[in-house]
Amino acid sequence: THVVTEACIKCRYTDCVDVCPVDCFHIGPNFLVIDPDECIDCAVCVAECPAEAIYAEEDLPQDQMDFIRINAELAAEWEVISKSMGALPDADEWKDKPNKRDLLER
Ligand code: F3S
Protein backbone atom coordinates (compact mmCIF):
# COMPACT_ATOMS: atom_id res chain seq x y z
CA THR A 1 0.00 0.00 0.00
CA HIS A 2 0.89 3.68 -0.10
CA VAL A 3 0.88 5.86 3.01
CA VAL A 4 0.17 9.56 3.60
CA THR A 5 2.68 10.99 6.08
CA GLU A 6 3.12 13.96 8.40
CA ALA A 7 3.94 16.43 5.61
CA CYS A 8 0.27 16.49 4.56
CA ILE A 9 -0.92 17.84 7.91
CA LYS A 10 -2.30 21.41 7.66
CA CYS A 11 -1.58 21.45 3.91
CA ARG A 12 -4.00 18.87 2.52
CA TYR A 13 -3.53 19.99 -1.07
CA THR A 14 -5.81 17.17 -2.34
CA ASP A 15 -4.04 17.05 -5.73
CA CYS A 16 -3.44 13.37 -5.00
CA VAL A 17 -7.15 12.60 -5.05
CA ASP A 18 -7.83 13.43 -8.69
CA VAL A 19 -5.37 10.88 -10.03
CA CYS A 20 -6.43 7.97 -7.83
CA PRO A 21 -8.10 5.27 -9.98
CA VAL A 22 -9.75 3.52 -7.03
CA ASP A 23 -10.93 6.38 -4.75
CA CYS A 24 -8.90 5.14 -1.80
CA PHE A 25 -8.47 8.55 -0.14
CA HIS A 26 -10.44 9.48 2.98
CA ILE A 27 -10.54 13.06 4.21
CA GLY A 28 -10.37 14.59 7.68
CA PRO A 29 -10.23 18.16 9.04
CA ASN A 30 -6.57 18.89 8.15
CA PHE A 31 -5.16 15.67 6.73
CA LEU A 32 -6.14 12.81 4.49
CA VAL A 33 -5.27 9.14 4.45
CA ILE A 34 -5.14 6.16 2.10
CA ASP A 35 -7.26 3.10 2.78
CA PRO A 36 -4.73 0.26 2.73
CA ASP A 37 -7.43 -2.20 1.69
CA GLU A 38 -8.33 -0.19 -1.43
CA CYS A 39 -4.94 1.12 -2.61
CA ILE A 40 -3.64 -0.82 -5.63
CA ASP A 41 -0.10 0.59 -5.39
CA CYS A 42 -0.29 2.37 -8.76
CA ALA A 43 1.90 5.11 -7.21
CA VAL A 44 0.45 7.85 -9.45
CA CYS A 45 -0.38 10.05 -6.45
CA VAL A 46 3.23 10.22 -5.20
CA ALA A 47 4.38 12.72 -7.83
CA GLU A 48 1.20 14.82 -7.54
CA CYS A 49 1.73 15.87 -3.92
CA PRO A 50 3.33 19.34 -3.56
CA ALA A 51 4.37 18.41 0.00
CA GLU A 52 5.91 15.05 -0.98
CA ALA A 53 3.81 13.45 1.71
CA ILE A 54 3.02 10.11 0.02
CA TYR A 55 5.31 7.08 0.15
CA ALA A 56 5.14 3.44 -0.78
CA GLU A 57 5.06 1.55 2.50
CA GLU A 58 8.45 0.00 1.79
CA ASP A 59 10.02 3.44 1.21
CA LEU A 60 8.66 5.05 4.37
CA PRO A 61 11.20 7.05 6.36
CA GLN A 62 11.86 5.48 9.76
CA ASP A 63 10.22 8.35 11.67
CA GLN A 64 6.99 8.01 9.67
CA MET A 65 6.31 4.34 10.36
CA ASP A 66 3.45 5.14 12.73
CA PHE A 67 1.53 6.57 9.79
CA ILE A 68 0.87 3.03 8.53
CA ARG A 69 -1.38 2.57 11.53
CA ILE A 70 -2.76 6.12 11.37
CA ASN A 71 -3.80 5.71 7.71
CA ALA A 72 -5.55 2.40 8.40
CA GLU A 73 -7.29 3.73 11.49
CA LEU A 74 -8.54 7.01 10.05
CA ALA A 75 -9.55 5.50 6.69
CA ALA A 76 -12.10 3.47 8.64
CA GLU A 77 -13.50 6.64 10.25
CA TRP A 78 -13.33 9.30 7.56
CA GLU A 79 -15.39 9.81 4.38
CA VAL A 80 -14.08 9.00 0.93
CA ILE A 81 -12.97 11.98 -1.16
CA SER A 82 -12.91 11.40 -4.92
CA LYS A 83 -12.43 14.94 -6.25
CA SER A 84 -9.82 17.55 -5.35
CA MET A 85 -11.21 20.37 -3.20
CA GLY A 86 -8.22 22.71 -3.11
CA ALA A 87 -5.59 23.13 -0.42
CA LEU A 88 -6.13 24.40 3.11
CA PRO A 89 -5.69 28.21 3.29
CA ASP A 90 -2.17 28.22 4.80
CA ALA A 91 -0.90 25.15 2.97
CA ASP A 92 2.12 26.84 1.39
CA GLU A 93 3.23 28.17 4.77
CA TRP A 94 3.03 24.74 6.42
CA LYS A 95 4.46 22.74 3.54
CA ASP A 96 8.07 22.58 4.70
CA LYS A 97 7.51 22.71 8.45
CA PRO A 98 8.66 19.62 10.40
CA ASN A 99 7.06 18.10 13.51
CA LYS A 100 3.43 18.69 12.62
CA ARG A 101 2.05 15.42 13.88
CA ASP A 102 0.67 16.88 17.12
CA LEU A 103 -1.46 19.20 14.98
CA LEU A 104 -3.33 16.34 13.32
CA GLU A 105 -7.05 16.82 13.94
CA ARG A 106 -9.22 13.74 14.15
FE1 F3S B 1 -1.92 15.69 1.41
FE2 F3S B 1 -0.28 15.87 -0.59
FE3 F3S B 1 -2.62 14.85 -1.00
S1 F3S B 1 -0.52 17.38 1.02
S2 F3S B 1 -3.88 15.92 0.44
S3 F3S B 1 -1.04 13.98 0.32
S4 F3S B 1 -1.55 16.18 -2.40
Side-chain angles (χ1 to χ4, degrees):
T1 190
H2 277 60
V3 179
V4 184
T5 64
E6 187 172 8
C8 176
I9 296 168
K10 289 186 83 71
C11 294
R12 213 193 58 194
Y13 284 96
T14 73
D15 297 26
C16 51
V17 172
D18 280 335
V19 298
C20 180
V22 294
D23 289 350
C24 70
F25 287 96
H26 293 241
I27 189 156
N30 67 1
F31 185 54
L32 59 60
V33 295
I34 290 173
D35 182 343
D37 296 330
E38 298 292 334
C39 177
I40 56 169
D41 269 337
C42 72
V44 185
C45 58
V46 173
E48 296 299 316
C49 177
E52 296 178 21
I54 307 177
Y55 290 84
E57 186 174 342
E58 56 270 24
D59 297 334
L60 264 182
Q62 201 54 247
D63 66 345
Q64 301 292 311
M65 288 296 185
D66 52 330
F67 279 88
I68 297 172
R69 182 184 52 81
I70 292 169
N71 276 242
E73 238 174 61
L74 296 178
E77 290 174 23
W78 289 350
E79 297 292 319
V80 169
I81 171 177
S82 47
K83 249 186 123 26
S84 161
M85 52 188 281
L88 288 173
D90 299 326
D92 291 343
E93 249 167 78
W94 284 97
K95 185 158 75 86
D96 300 313
K97 292 216 169 92
N99 306 321
K100 299 190 283 186
R101 70 180 65 208
D102 291 345
L103 303 172
L104 170 56
E105 293 171 36
R106 291 166 180 257

